[in-house]
Amino acid sequence: MIIRRNSFAFRVFQAAICLLAAAVVLPARAQLGDQSDSAGVKQTPRVSADKIPPAPPLEPDKALASFALQPGFRIELVASEPLVHDPICIRFDTRGRIWVVEMSGYMPNPDGIGEDQPVGKIAVLEDTDGDGKMDKRTEFLTGLVMPGAIALATGGVLVGAPPHLWFCRDTDGDLKCDTKMELARDFSVAGNPQHTPNGLVWALDNWIYTAGWPFRLKRLATGEWQREPTVPRGQYGLSQDDAGRLVYNSNEDQFRIDLISSHYLQRNSHYRTGAGLNVDPIKDQTTWPARVNPAVNRGYRAGILRDDGTLAHFTAACSPLIYRGNQFPDEFYGNAFVCEPAGNLIKRNILWEENGTLHGKQAYSHAEFLTSTDERFRPVSLANAPDGSLYIVDFYHGLLEHRISLTSYLRHQTEARSLDKPTGMGRIYRVVHTGRPLQTLPTFSRSNRESWVQLLNHPNGWVRETVQRLLVESRPATTVAPLRKLATEGTNAWSRLHALWTLDGMAELDEASVLANLDAKNSKVRVAAVRLSENFLRGEEASQFIERLSGMAQREKSADVRLQLALTLGQTTDAIAEKAMIQMARAPGGGEELTDALLSGLYNRERPILEGILKDLSWPKDEEDARRFIAGLAHCIVASRNAANVEVLLQSAADSTGPIRTALLQGAAEAAPSIIRSASRGPIRLGGEPFAWRMLKASDLPGDAKRVATIERAISWPGLPNYVAPPIVVALNAAQQSRFSKGQELFAATCAGCHQTDGQGLAGLAPPLADSEWVLGSEQRLARIVLLGVHGPLNVNGRTFDLEMPSMANLFNDDQIAGILTYVRRAWDHTAMPVEPATIKSIRLQLGKRTESWTEAELKAVP
């Protein structure tokens, strides 16, 4: 639900316009004087009308003249209206045809009237004369309401059209859908484009991932679809790098990457720090548009626009793409490109790795890879193409903000310049480097699938991942031997990586192929081999692999391989693997990510492991990483809330001295705040005062007194002033329980994409709800946040979030909002009172005509 500042809804259409968050440029010379919003904030345009150039809709040939690119590049038109309308994302098939998602229902007018009409389509575009431009259109599927996602998979097409995810097939070869199977009906909520999942990326590990949906998919050999929980990532757009690491972003946060697979860090509910996930290597959100951008949703606020009227930083970042083509110069390979439709630009970032750490920077100073002076140019997604170039999908829609978040300010700016019309336009462009020719599409002969295997050597990432998908889908037996040979004898990392994962996807992965690559020269190949070893950690091969991996853990020098070893060894409780993990923990130079990886695999083993370490006189007490591991174990023990284990921990701390005592108290103190904040569960209830407590209170080590004081607030026992008996939870009646269940479904479909299914939030996107004072406190405040939204800065659980949560007043009725709020006040061990629909109705009436979102100060004034 909560989205970063000026996210302007975007999850808004997370699925579509992705993040087209707020920016439409202001009307020239129209009635754009000062206004005040409903909260009394003066809305003075920061750019005078006489400095805003006109922005009429341009014909495609004139639109081409509006672009400026870095030297050596040109932009070419591939398709435009009337061949394509309202495109938001594309996919290429093996014949070079373009499959387009058209979201024609999006904001046909400022009130959004008609957006619920089934006018969305999936169209297929073809170039029949070979001139590089599409000239034929076939409508594969029509009658969709706000479709937002597509993937070509298993001989069909996955189509996301909330709340459905469909698997569609053309059975007679006419490029029209003949059969449609529902794979999910919780693919967001119909009518809420802010929370529509999208992306649908077939990743290197053969799972299909999305942005904004907490599940991943895989089709089994039986034809059945397997569905597993995962982390909902980002807002609009998802891609991967050569190593299969997933890339995403949110409106004001241009680039995030998962350096590890997310399922590992969900293993230990006692330790959820998430190092290695949602990593920001660039940390620079500045933008440099080619024109003024005064019609950002709250462009009248300081800091959003520069003095010259240009967008200062990302507000509608979407569709990050790792360029993996072979048409640009070599130095562009692996760069990250990001769309900013609010600023009419595309940014280029350079990424590199050092000692297992990913770094990044913007490629140009005070400039962009591509800009346009056409205000209606709205790049909403990018694609690596079969010909090696970079494709751009241009929604070409003047009004980008969804009605849910459209402020009176932006509505005025939009209508004054008629930016809300015309609709139904759209373009697809191709960016080409002038120094290299476009590449030729390989032939995918179905009569000679053995020839596909060699295409896993291809320099174009689109070709390699397409071949892998086709082989996994069809599983031709004649390709197994060539794949195994390529996996063990391939001359480059690409070929070995894809060969290994293809064999895994075909259920043909053998021990020899994995073992051979544990010694591969390329560290990313070794990472893959270690991860794929997990297939053999049970059964007859287990001891061989555990011994090999454990030995490798002692010798391996590459940080990325060591990280994967820590994760993989945690997939078994074998004593040899556990010993290897402890040895890794004590070695210097591992860093925070390695510690987190190790702890994630030690769920419910923390106490005995800690006890063993404390008896080990050789444990390196002065090594930072070794102390961090001890602190992490202590953290887990306190977070588990097991009173007996906590008492043992406190005694261990009292019996220890110097750095070890400090590490134990530090870990316990770091876990304490979440317990202190837990109004529903209260402190950890011990049977009585621990024997060691007075010793700890008397500790004179630097900082220990403060740590002990923090721990003291998280524990209690009978006789203490802060002792509170376990709370009596008021049972929900039948009506409240029904609302809770419906609220749980709505939360999963709309709110979990930002706040996560465990209520812990996500850095760069949304704050936590679990144990949040805003959730467990006044229902009057909580209801107001949902009805009108809130903009930061906002303090949540001791941290400040600079964010923008849109209004949900028009999205849900009173009963639905009451259900969602009842759910979040009872989920995650909360015991707060439920919320009634009558309360929501009453607050709606009190709000009157107010439309401005709340500030923290305003909310705190509400009892």
Side-chain angles (χ1 to χ4, degrees):
M1 282 167 68
I2 290 186
I3 304 174
R4 298 240 325 175
R5 180 198 295 254
N6 293 324
S7 107
F8 313 135
F10 265 83
R11 264 198 135 181
V12 133
F13 101 42
Q14 235 213 348
I17 293 313
C18 28
L19 322 169
L20 297 174
V24 180
V25 181
L26 299 178
R29 307 182 188 281
Q31 301 296 320
L32 299 179
D34 291 358
Q35 307 168 66
S36 291
D37 60 30
S38 56
V41 179
K42 194 172 184 181
Q43 299 181 343
T44 303
R46 299 180 64 81
V47 183
S48 61
D50 61 353
K51 293 184 179 180
I52 303 170
L58 301 179
E59 293 297 322
D61 59 338
K62 293 183 178 179
L64 282 170
S66 74
F67 293 108
L69 289 87
Q70 288 296 320
F73 290 91
R74 68 174 184 271
I75 187 168
E76 302 173 347
L77 181 70
V78 176
S80 62
E81 67 279 353
L83 196 68
V84 64
H85 308 275
D86 309 297
I88 61 164
C89 61
I90 61 174
R91 294 289 185 269
F92 295 93
D93 65 18
T94 56
R95 294 173 58 181
R97 299 177 299 198
I98 303 175
W99 294 67
V100 187
V101 178
E102 297 182 336
M103 187 182 272
S104 295
Y106 181 78
M107 289 302 286
N109 49 70
D111 294 310
I113 297 173
E115 69 174 14
D116 58 347
Q117 296 303 301
V119 295
K121 299 174 181 178
I122 307 297
V124 184
L125 307 183
E126 298 180 68
D127 172 14
T128 62
D129 57 11
D131 66 351
K133 292 185 177 182
M134 302 296 115
D135 50 54
K136 180 181 178 181
R137 170 188 174 94
T138 305
E139 294 184 352
F140 173 78
L141 185 61
T142 62
L144 300 172
V145 177
M146 305 284 269
I150 185 174
L152 305 182
T154 63
V157 184
L158 292 172
V159 176
H164 306 286
L165 176 63
W166 302 103
F167 177 56
C168 306
R169 296 186 64 198
D170 163 27
T171 60
D172 58 11
D174 63 355
L175 272 184
K176 294 182 181 293
C177 177
D178 303 315
T179 64
K180 190 165 68 168
M181 174 194 303
E182 183 182 67
L183 300 184
R185 62 179 59 187
D186 61 352
F187 206 67
S188 189
V189 175
N192 179 17
Q194 277 185 294
H195 296 272
T196 303
N198 60 88
L200 289 176
V201 170
W202 183 299
L204 184 66
D205 65 2
N206 299 304
W207 285 91
I208 298 172
Y209 293 87
T210 67
W213 195 49
F215 299 99
R216 61 180 186 172
L217 296 171
K218 178 188 288 187
R219 195 178 190 196
L220 305 177
T222 60
E224 297 177 305
W225 287 87
Q226 181 179 355
R227 165 170 154 165
E228 283 189 0
T230 186
V231 175
R233 296 167 175 84
Q235 291 188 259
Y236 191 79
L238 188 70
S239 68
Q240 65 177 334
D241 67 4
D242 276 345
R245 300 180 296 190
L246 296 175
V247 168
Y248 47 95
N249 62 13
S250 57
N251 295 160
E252 293 187 337
D253 195 323
Q254 65 148 324
F255 187 87
R256 294 278 171 159
I257 184 170
D258 287 350
L259 298 180
I260 62 174
S261 179
S262 64
H263 73 278
Y264 291 114
L265 295 189
Q266 300 179 63
R267 298 181 295 187
N268 192 341
S269 59
H270 303 157
Y271 197 79
R272 294 268 181 95
T273 64
L277 299 181
N278 199 36
V279 174
D280 177 8
I282 300 169
K283 301 179 180 65
D284 185 350
Q285 311 301 335
T286 55
T287 57
W288 302 98
R291 59 164 293 142
V292 294
N293 313 110
V296 178
N297 208 16
R298 291 183 175 86
Y300 54 89
R301 289 183 180 161
I304 295 177
L305 303 181
R306 297 187 179 87
D307 290 341
D308 64 1
T310 59
L311 188 68
H313 53 73
F314 277 102
T315 189
C318 57
S319 300
L321 180 80
I322 302 299
Y323 176 74
R324 301 168 62 216
N326 59 333
Q327 202 276 328
F328 288 9
D330 293 346
E331 62 267 26
F332 284 76
Y333 192 93
N335 287 184
F337 291 82
V338 181
C339 294
E340 173 46 278
N344 321 111
L345 61 88
I346 294 172
K347 181 173 291 293
R348 175 191 170 207
N349 301 284
I350 299 172
L351 304 173
W352 69 96
E353 286 190 57
E354 291 179 357
N355 299 321
T357 300
L358 188 66
H359 302 273
K361 67 178 182 179
Q362 295 195 15
Y364 311 106
S365 176
H366 293 71
E368 302 291 356
F369 176 72
L370 179 152
T371 59
S372 173
T373 56
D374 182 1
E375 178 177 4
R376 296 171 187 260
F377 170 61
R378 304 299 186 185
V380 295
S381 62
L382 304 170
N384 286 306
D387 60 17
S389 67
L390 179 70
Y391 271 58
I392 302 169
V393 179
D394 176 9
F395 190 59
Y396 210 77
H397 199 285
L399 176 56
L400 300 180
E401 185 60 72
H402 190 258
R403 60 179 175 80
I404 292 175
S405 304
L406 186 66
T407 62
S408 57
Y409 170 86
L410 182 55
R411 181 178 184 128
H412 180 71
Q413 308 300 332
T414 300
E415 292 178 338
R417 278 196 39 121
S418 298
L419 289 170
D420 54 326
K421 48 185 177 288
T423 59
M425 305 179 78
R427 288 88 193 263
I428 299 173
Y429 296 102
R430 171 175 53 226
V431 176
V432 179
H433 193 266
T434 57
R436 292 184 178 180
L438 290 172
Q439 306 301 302
T440 302
L441 180 69
T443 299
F444 295 89
S445 171
R446 294 191 176 273
S447 62
N448 184 19
R449 293 179 181 178
E450 297 79 29
S451 65
W452 295 0
V453 174
Q454 290 308 311
L455 290 176
L456 295 177
N457 284 297
H458 203 283
N460 187 338
W462 179 89
V463 174
R464 298 195 304 273
E465 63 189 21
T466 299
V467 169
Q468 177 179 326
R469 174 177 64 82
L470 293 175
L471 288 171
V472 171
E473 289 173 352
S474 58
R475 304 184 181 220
T478 55
T479 64
V480 173
L483 281 168
R484 289 177 176 171
K485 182 176 181 180
L486 185 63
T488 55
E489 300 178 13
T491 57
N492 61 58
W494 293 334
S495 61
R496 289 197 172 205
L497 276 174
H498 282 284
L500 285 169
W501 282 109
T502 302
L503 287 167
D504 182 63
M506 295 171 61
E508 295 287 354
L509 186 66
D510 60 310
E511 298 95 320
S513 296
V514 174
L515 290 169
N517 281 289
L518 291 175
D519 293 323
K521 292 183 180 180
N522 184 276
S523 69
K524 293 296 182 285
V525 177
R526 296 201 302 279
V527 167
V530 171
R531 184 176 168 189
L532 288 168
S533 296
E534 295 168 16
N535 290 301
F536 308 104
L537 293 185
R538 292 174 179 80
E540 296 179 359
E541 309 91 351
S543 60
Q544 176 187 8
F545 275 89
I546 289 172
E547 289 180 7
R548 179 73 179 273
L549 294 173
S550 298
M552 188 176 176
Q554 309 310 312
R555 302 185 303 272
E556 180 61 53
K557 301 300 182 182
S558 294
D560 52 350
V561 184
R562 287 178 57 78
L563 180 62
Q564 184 60 52
L565 282 163
L567 294 166
T568 293
L569 289 168
Q571 291 292 88
T572 175
T573 57
D574 183 89
I576 295 176
E578 184 178 289
K579 182 179 179 181
M581 295 171 71
I582 295 171
Q583 291 297 317
M584 294 180 76
R586 66 185 292 159
E592 181 183 2
E593 289 180 358
L594 183 69
T595 300
D596 284 6
L598 292 167
L599 291 167
S600 75
L602 297 175
Y603 179 66
N604 277 344
R605 290 187 278 166
E606 299 95 343
R607 175 180 162 179
I609 289 174
L610 179 59
E611 290 175 335
I613 288 174
L614 295 179
K615 294 176 182 177
D616 183 358
L617 298 179
S618 68
W619 187 265
K621 300 178 178 61
D622 296 324
E623 288 288 350
E624 180 182 0
D625 292 318
R627 293 198 307 271
R628 183 189 293 116
F629 185 66
I630 288 177
L633 292 170
H635 180 121
C636 292
I637 290 171
V638 173
S640 73
R641 302 180 68 101
N642 182 298
N645 287 348
V646 170
E647 291 195 37
V648 170
L649 171 66
L650 295 175
Q651 185 63 55
S652 296
D655 293 341
S656 301
T657 59
I660 297 298
R661 174 184 285 188
T662 297
L664 292 170
L665 293 177
Q666 177 182 329
E670 288 174 350
S674 64
I675 294 170
I676 296 168
R677 291 192 301 266
S678 180
S680 58
R681 302 179 70 184
I684 301 170
R685 297 171 181 84
L686 307 181
E689 180 180 10
F691 178 78
W693 189 244
R694 292 184 183 180
M695 294 176 59
L696 292 174
K697 295 264 291 186
S699 176
D700 58 358
L701 291 175
D704 279 1
K706 184 176 181 180
R707 298 182 185 101
V708 169
T710 300
I711 298 168
E712 187 171 28
R713 297 172 59 200
I715 61 176
S716 185
W717 53 85
L720 285 183
N722 73 333
Y723 182 76
V724 178
I728 298 174
V729 182
V730 178
L732 301 180
N733 61 36
Q736 292 166 342
Q737 184 61 53
S738 176
R739 278 194 292 272
F740 173 92
S741 298
K742 293 177 181 176
Q744 183 176 16
E745 294 177 3
L746 291 171
F747 179 88
T750 62
C751 314
C754 293
H755 293 290
Q756 309 295 285
T757 54
D758 59 4
Q760 295 299 319
L762 190 65
L765 183 60
L769 299 181
D771 294 322
S772 165
E773 62 269 43
W774 297 100
V775 171
L776 300 176
S778 166
E779 66 179 18
Q780 294 284 324
R781 295 176 184 174
L782 184 59
R784 280 168 168 77
I785 291 174
V786 174
L787 287 170
L788 286 186
V790 62
H791 60 268
L794 184 74
N795 190 280
V796 183
N797 289 359
R799 295 171 56 199
T800 299
F801 291 81
D802 195 8
L803 50 81
E804 177 82 19
M805 172 179 168
S807 164
M808 299 288 148
N810 296 325
L811 181 62
F812 300 118
N813 61 35
D814 296 344
D815 192 73
Q816 291 172 320
I817 291 177
I820 293 173
L821 299 189
T822 295
Y823 171 71
V824 300
R825 285 163 68 87
R826 284 299 180 100
W828 316 304
D829 295 317
H830 293 169
T831 58
M833 294 296 291
V835 177
E836 299 296 327
T839 300
I840 307 300
K841 181 179 180 180
S842 173
I843 295 174
R844 278 191 197 265
L845 292 174
Q846 295 174 38
L847 296 179
K849 295 183 179 180
R850 173 174 176 136
T851 58
E852 178 70 5
S853 61
W854 303 97
T855 65
E856 180 171 3
E858 289 177 309
L859 289 169
K860 286 188 172 180
V862 176

